[in-house]
């Protein structure tokens, strides 16, 4: 997969679906416009209904099972790429904290980070 240009936004998400998907306390999505992403190679797809009522198509590596990118059907012009897919220690800080009301209280985030609730 190749991503070109600056992402539209980067989100840290504390919802239960992201926790389950990552096996961690949150997930981080680097969100690009569809035309900025070129997908190469084989992947498998798993569809899950989001809290929004729309499906999200998760694309994962058939060899290791890592979730690589996903397509939120309520925002068809966007593709989200897992931050861990970038081998870049200089990955910028997320723009927003999503489902922030579900964030574990021991996770401290910078005060300037925009916050959205789960509803």
């Amino acid at each position: 997969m190749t991503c070109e240009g600056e992402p539209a936004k980067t989100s840290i998400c504390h919802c239960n679906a992201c926790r389950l998907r990552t096996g961690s306390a949150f997930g981080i999505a680097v969100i690009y416009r569809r035309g900025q992403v070129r997908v190469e190679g084989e992947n498998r797809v798993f569809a899950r209904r989001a809290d929004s009522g729309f499906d999200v198509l998760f694309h994962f590596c058939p060899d290791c099972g890592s979730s690589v990118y996903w397509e939120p059907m309520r925002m068809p012009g966007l593709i989200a790429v897992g931050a861990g897919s970038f081998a870049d220690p200089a990955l910028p800080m997320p723009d927003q904290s999503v489902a922030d009301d579900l964030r574990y209280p021991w996770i401290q985030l910078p005060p300037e980070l925009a916050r959205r609730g789960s509803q």
Side-chain angles (χ1 to χ4, degrees), residues 16-89:
N16 290 324
C18 283
R19 290 178 184 163
L20 288 170
R21 179 182 57 79
T22 63
S24 186
F26 51 81
I28 301 177
V30 183
I31 302 168
Y32 288 92
R33 288 174 185 79
R34 185 169 292 281
Q36 293 177 274
V37 178
R38 187 176 71 243
V39 177
E40 303 164 351
E42 189 178 357
N43 66 76
R44 299 284 189 267
V45 179
F46 175 76
R48 179 182 310 152
R49 180 81 31 151
D51 290 343
S52 66
F54 290 87
D55 284 346
V56 178
L57 304 181
F58 293 93
H59 297 260
F60 59 94
C61 174
D63 294 325
C64 72
S66 292
S67 178
V68 180
Y69 70 99
W70 51 101
E71 300 173 273
M73 295 293 99
R74 74 180 175 96
M75 297 179 285
L78 301 177
I79 292 180
V81 180
S85 297
F86 297 96
D88 183 1

Side-chain angles (χ1 to χ4, degrees), residues 1-2 6 11 19 33-34 82 100 111:
M1 162 180 292
T2 303
E6 293 297 314
S11 300
R19 290 178 184 163
R33 288 174 185 79
R34 185 169 292 281
D100 196 71

Side-chain angles (χ1 to χ4, degrees), residues 87-101:
D88 183 1
L91 187 72
M93 181 177 81
D95 304 309
Q96 63 181 356
S97 177
V98 178
D100 196 71
D101 54 324

